[in-house]
Amino acid sequence: MPVYYINSYDITDPELFKTYGPLLFPILKRYGAEVLVSDTAALAVEGRARTMHAIVQFPSEEAALQCYSDPEYQPVKDIRHRSTTNCTMVLVKAFSMGGK
């Protein structure tokens, strides 16, 4: 069953953050992930929008967690941590009308 990382954060160092995506995408590809949303101009309908919102689909929870724990991702994750604040990252399962 597909799962999704939903990420929201404020970019505090745009120059450093520019290096994040090019390093991240090959790692995501290895785990069968697809970036569905990546937006720095989200419209806040309720609450406050962060400067970045992303939704990344993985084929399974196992693939998503393996990607997050991948040793190659750790220095890339550090770039995100150093170039952003107010990060929220959650892993959610796909919705099924059958409730499964």
Side-chain angles (χ1 to χ4, degrees):
M1 170 188 296
V3 298
Y4 304 85
Y5 274 125
I6 301 175
N7 308 305
S8 296
Y9 42 84
D10 290 316
I11 300 168
T12 56
D13 186 338
E15 288 305 310
L16 179 58
F17 187 77
K18 284 180 188 177
T19 66
Y20 179 68
L23 295 170
L24 174 64
F25 295 138
I27 299 168
L28 293 176
K29 186 175 181 177
R30 215 174 21 243
Y31 290 94
E34 180 181 356
V35 177
L36 302 179
V37 174
S38 181
D39 190 355
T40 58
L43 174 64
V45 179
E46 287 189 26
R48 179 175 98 59
R50 302 285 184 209
T51 54
M52 169 56 84
H53 301 274
I55 299 174
V56 182
Q57 178 181 335
F58 283 84
S60 68
E61 184 175 316
E62 179 182 32
L65 294 173
Q66 285 177 345
C67 181
Y68 188 79
S69 299
D70 187 305
E72 189 176 336
Y73 177 58
Q74 302 318 298
V76 178
K77 179 174 35 173
D78 184 58
I79 290 170
R80 180 172 50 82
H81 286 170
R82 290 186 293 122
S83 63
T84 67
T85 60
N86 302 316
C87 181
T88 301
M89 183 173 182
V90 296
L91 185 61
V92 298
K93 295 179 177 139
F95 177 75
S96 169
M97 289 295 288
K100 296 179 183 180

